[in-house]
Amino acid sequence: MESLQIITGVLAFKPCSSVAQVDTSPYVRPIRQLGFAPFLKKKTKIETLWIRASSLNGGTSQEGSSVVDNGKGNKERGLLFGTEKDDTGSVVGFHLIPQPGDWEINDSHEELATQTVEEVTDIEEEEKIQTRVTYNIVFVTSEAAPYSKTGGLGDVSGSLPIALATRGHRVMVVSPRYQNGTLSDKRYAGASDVDCHIKVYCFGGEQEVAFFHEYREGVDWVFVDHPSYHRPGNPYGDSYGAFGDNQFRFTLLCHAACEAPLVLPLGGFTYGEKCLFLVNDWHASLVPILLAAKYRPYGVYKDARSILVIHNLAHQGVEPAATYSSLGLPPQWYGALEWVFPTWARTHALDTGEAVNVLKGAIVTADRILTVSKGYAWEITTTEGGYGLNGLLSSRKSVLNGITNGIDVADWDPSSDEHIPFCYSADDLSGKVQCKTALQKELGLPIQPNCPLIGFIGRLDYQKGIDLIQDAIPELMEDDVQFVMLGSGDQRFEDWMRATEETYKNKFRGWVGFNVPISHRITAGCDILLMPSRFEPCGLNQLYAMRYGTVPVVHGTGGLKDTVETFNPYARGGSGEGTGWTFSPLSKESMLAALRVAISTYREHKSTWEGLMRRGMEKDYTWESAATQYEQVFEWAFIDPPYC
Ligand SMILES: Nc1ncnc2c1ncn2[C@@H]1O[C@H](COP(=O)(O)OP(=O)(O)O[C@H]2O[C@H](CO)[C@@H](O)[C@H](O)[C@H]2O)[C@@H](O)[C@H]1O
């Protein structure tokens, strides 16, 4: 009977007579994020609803409590509820349904009946953001914006942890503290040395690493400090190519990330052993292997879980087999990382093809595997998209899922973006054309508001299909269009961009380099964004483009296919449907055909074009929906026993 009443949601809890304390330190969690807000009496202003971290970390069994402001400034003690602990005293969960004795029921139907529609909406809003179970999450990544970013991984690592923390999880991001002697070093200025040095044994020696920490936007940003992270260049290399010791640098990161939850008293409390490691790409892939091989045999992390998030399968951290002995793993675990190249991929007659593959090791030992879109989750199980790991990934299909990335909608918002000269929104698009002419002026292109302006932003890499653009440019430049490219990477493509700018002075601009403000201005100023990616695990630029009313023309692959809906002029009684164009197969001809349809729609059907822009701008790109799906996977990860 009582539980039935709970389901109908007409209960309100009366204050109990137990200790109520308020702590505004960052290490407390809002009660509403633990799922209680809907049960609180309406018209009671929820001012401070916190659970003391001390009670979460082994306080008395008196459990958490809340303080509710009754609107008159008097603090009433609120709901009491139970915490669930293991035999070490660590909190493992909460009684989401209050236990007998913890609460009293006030089932006043009258009060509910007097609620206004607005109040009911408030309750729905509260319900939307509630999280049932929270986790201690350790997010391990080689880059995290705004501290470090070379591509989409940096963006995701900079925003997904915040979205998870907002939903009530305790989140730590562990990443290297890069110092390259430029102004960008200042990005770490808010992180201070926590005075905790640890020794890591790998690569034939003892390495001392330090930890820096900054608490920002609800997240513990932890930076691993070691001299190998201090050098000119980006996180992975410099103008001479990739650093030769990357395997060493990221081995250090993984060892340090495994120690961080045990040794760092962040806000006074460690994260402890019962945490969930989210490890991103090959750089963090040693973590699940270390949990299984180095810690669990000694009873440590026996209840932790790990989830491998694959942002790009093309990079796997493959090194000669001899490297294995340097990784700090027991010899008997070699098989987990063992990788033998097929005969055709060997370099000479005596090459046995033996190697170690760190990403492969994580695919074997992680408790679950995620990719950044559903389409890519399937593609990596195929010969074409699996980069040699398709067989292994197929064998783990039951724990493989895809969740499409969200974007930082505050950072990428055309109505408030500080990088663009004119702001605009779906309700008032007038600033968009002003951004376009300002961009033409900035780039020294003829100022032509009606000339279709096509953009490309991205790493100049084989993945991104730059060679297709190269092939298509001579034909495309015959048309009355302008084209701007922003990117850095492969030297050949950089040189080609510079040379093409010389050839088509009034039509083509190639900006070689990595420049975030310019990327915002191109996203806002262009009419069309071209992404002919060979494969694209998710892709963020097409999401940014749609949010800015810039219509994407993309190759129908991976996340691009999942997120860009091809325009259908006949749908919805002729008013049209879709947010852009996807083309397939990946060929110059099909790319040009899609671009030409887009260009003629832009020129000849202005209202149709506005419809395309608006539909793209109005889509929901927030991390909220992705974070909810991540939570589902977290739950699944803890259902099964960990890998050991
Ligand atoms: N020259 C430049 N100047 C300024 N900014 C630049 C730039 N070049 C790239 N960027 C920025 O870097 C990011 C690139 O993100 P993407 O998702 O498109 O690709 P990436 O391949 O790096 O990411 C991988 O990881 C992400 C995240 O999961 C997946 O979406 C993707 O498919 C996968 O390949 C965007 O924010 C973009 O604006």
Side-chain angles (χ1 to χ4, degrees):
M1 179 59 189
E2 283 166 3
S3 55
L4 179 68
Q5 284 176 310
I6 289 172
I7 291 163
T8 56
V10 293
L11 304 183
F13 296 100
K14 271 186 153 182
C16 296
S17 57
S18 188
V19 187
Q21 281 179 283
V22 181
D23 188 338
T24 51
S25 88
Y27 297 99
V28 292
R29 296 180 210 174
I31 274 191
R32 61 180 200 158
Q33 292 169 354
L34 293 163
F36 289 89
F39 299 128
L40 293 166
K41 261 187 178 173
K42 224 35 215 176
K43 290 201 171 134
T44 299
K45 190 175 142 220
I46 304 164
E47 185 195 62
T48 322
L49 294 170
W50 301 105
I51 304 165
R52 279 179 61 80
S54 53
S55 68
L56 300 181
N57 288 276
T60 67
S61 61
Q62 189 46 42
E63 339 313 356
S65 59
S66 69
V67 174
V68 179
D69 185 58
N70 63 9
K72 296 177 202 145
N74 301 329
K75 298 249 186 324
E76 293 179 354
R77 280 169 294 186
L79 161 71
L80 267 190
F81 55 94
T83 52
E84 195 184 322
K85 295 177 181 178
D86 65 3
D87 46 13
T88 66
S90 298
V91 173
V92 293
F94 299 93
H95 297 149
L96 295 181
I97 295 175
Q99 303 301 296
D102 280 355
W103 44 276
E104 287 178 65
I105 298 167
N106 173 6
D107 56 349
S108 164
H109 293 259
E110 280 165 34
E111 200 170 303
L112 187 79
T114 60
Q115 285 177 2
T116 61
V117 174
E118 198 178 279
E119 285 169 328
V120 173
T121 315
D122 282 352
I123 295 177
E124 283 166 3
E125 282 302 307
E126 295 286 359
E127 280 173 347
K128 256 194 222 161
I129 58 169
Q130 77 185 23
T131 299
R132 288 185 66 83
V133 180
T134 58
Y135 299 94
N136 281 357
I137 298 169
V138 184
F139 193 98
V140 191
T141 177
S142 57
E143 54 182 279
Y147 308 98
S148 54
K149 167 175 163 177
T150 67
L153 174 61
D155 284 344
V156 172
S157 306
S159 46
L160 173 59
I162 295 172
L164 291 169
T166 308
R167 294 178 63 79
H169 303 284
R170 192 179 179 200
V171 188
M172 171 200 306
V173 175
V174 186
S175 193
R177 182 171 174 270
Y178 301 111
Q179 298 285 292
N180 63 10
T182 68
L183 276 181
S184 64
D185 293 353
K186 288 218 168 71
R187 294 179 192 147
Y188 296 89
S192 44
D193 192 340
V194 292
D195 201 19
C196 175
H197 293 214
I198 59 160
K199 302 260 195 299
V200 171
Y201 299 92
C202 65
F203 284 79
E206 178 188 279
Q207 303 293 332
E208 185 170 301
V209 300
F211 293 98
F212 282 63
H213 171 243
E214 176 177 9
Y215 183 78
R216 184 178 59 78
E217 296 200 63
V219 172
D220 289 304
W221 302 90
V222 170
F223 301 106
V224 179
D225 197 46
H226 184 270
S228 65
Y229 301 137
H230 303 176
R231 59 176 66 153
N234 72 30
Y236 315 109
D238 56 18
S239 52
Y240 299 102
F243 297 132
D245 59 350
N246 277 345
Q247 193 69 262
F248 164 71
R249 297 165 78 232
F250 296 117
T251 296
L252 278 186
L253 171 68
C254 294
H255 278 272
C258 288
E259 288 295 305
L262 306 175
V263 301
L264 297 181
L266 303 176
F269 304 95
T270 62
Y271 273 55
E273 287 181 45
K274 280 191 188 63
C275 46
L276 174 65
F277 287 89
L278 276 182
V279 306
N280 296 275
D281 279 349
W282 81 263
H283 321 95
S285 283
L286 210 56
V287 169
I289 312 165
L290 287 168
L291 297 181
K294 180 180 163 189
Y295 290 92
R296 283 200 190 111
Y298 300 95
V300 182
Y301 284 133
K302 56 187 188 314
D303 295 321
R305 297 291 188 281
S306 61
I307 299 176
L308 168 67
V309 187
I310 300 176
H311 299 261
N312 195 334
L313 194 66
H315 305 283
Q316 301 178 1
V318 180
E319 294 287 336
T323 318
Y324 182 81
S325 59
S326 302
L327 300 177
L329 290 167
Q332 66 272 25
W333 279 81
Y334 178 77
L337 281 76
E338 184 180 18
W339 181 248
V340 183
F341 282 104
T343 324
W344 60 262
R346 299 180 194 173
T347 47
H348 52 80
L350 297 178
D351 185 353
T352 57
E354 287 170 50
V356 284
N357 182 327
V358 183
L359 187 70
K360 181 228 158 181
I363 293 171
V364 171
T365 54
D367 297 304
R368 302 217 48 115
I369 303 165
L370 275 173
T371 66
V372 287
S373 70
K374 286 192 174 56
Y376 193 62
W378 170 76
E379 281 175 15
I380 59 175
T381 62
T382 66
T383 315
E384 293 80 6
Y387 276 85
L389 289 169
N390 43 299
L392 180 62
L393 284 160
S394 298
S395 76
R396 300 224 67 201
K397 247 183 196 162
S398 60
V399 295
L400 171 64
N401 295 95
I403 300 174
T404 305
N405 287 331
I407 61 172
D408 184 336
V409 288
D411 197 22
W412 291 89
D413 181 355
S415 67
S416 59
D417 190 333
E418 58 186 31
H419 298 305
I420 63 176
F422 301 94
C423 289
Y424 58 94
S425 66
D427 295 330
D428 177 10
L429 289 167
S430 55
K432 171 101 179 144
V433 73
Q434 292 176 292
C435 284
K436 176 177 177 176
T437 50
L439 179 67
Q440 289 170 327
K441 189 170 174 205
E442 180 177 359
L443 297 173
L445 286 167
I447 298 174
Q448 296 173 347
N450 290 319
C451 174
L453 179 53
I454 306 166
F456 169 92
I457 302 167
R459 292 181 292 106
L460 301 179
D461 188 271
Y462 174 76
Q463 173 193 347
K464 303 293 179 185
I466 318 288
D467 48 331
L468 225 67
I469 301 179
Q470 255 183 325
D471 289 352
I473 279 292
E475 267 178 69
L476 193 61
M477 292 289 100
E478 285 170 17
D479 202 345
D480 182 21
V481 297
Q482 294 176 343
F483 201 115
V484 52
M485 287 182 75
L486 167 67
S488 59
D490 192 320
Q491 182 77 42
R492 281 175 306 139
F493 295 135
E494 290 186 356
D495 294 343
W496 169 78
M497 273 165 56
R498 292 190 184 99
T500 309
E501 188 171 305
E502 279 300 302
T503 315
Y504 305 101
K505 281 202 171 71
N506 285 331
K507 290 189 163 186
F508 184 95
R509 283 292 172 277
W511 186 296
V512 176
F514 194 92
N515 190 313
V516 172
I518 291 282
S519 74
H520 283 243
R521 292 204 280 278
I522 291 178
T523 306
C526 286
D527 301 300
I528 296 168
L529 186 90
L530 179 62
M531 288 183 75
S533 305
R534 213 158 243 111
F535 67 94
E536 197 60 83
C538 175
L540 298 176
N541 287 318
Q542 84 280 11
L543 303 180
Y544 299 148
M546 289 189 281
R547 184 153 165 80
Y548 279 64
T550 302
V551 178
V553 174
V554 303
H555 174 216
T557 181
L560 295 178
K561 195 170 165 192
D562 287 1
T563 55
V564 177
E565 192 190 341
T566 286
F567 176 55
N568 174 1
Y570 308 110
R572 295 196 303 153
S575 54
E577 213 168 57
T579 54
W581 281 270
T582 55
F583 62 86
S584 188
L586 185 71
S587 66
K588 179 184 84 175
E589 289 72 24
S590 74
M591 181 181 84
L592 279 173
L595 271 179
R596 285 187 181 124
V597 175
I599 291 165
S600 66
T601 308
Y602 169 83
R603 282 203 189 109
E604 290 154 34
H605 305 280
K606 286 287 177 202
S607 65
T608 303
W609 190 260
E610 270 194 27
L612 270 158
M613 289 167 71
R614 286 214 166 83
R615 281 192 294 277
M617 294 177 87
E618 282 161 2
K619 282 208 156 191
D620 177 11
Y621 301 108
T622 58
W623 270 107
E624 191 67 18
S625 131
T628 320
Q629 295 174 60
Y630 269 82
E631 280 163 358
Q632 174 63 76
V633 177
F634 299 165
E635 215 178 301
W636 289 337
F638 279 94
I639 289 173
D640 296 324
Y643 187 95
C644 51

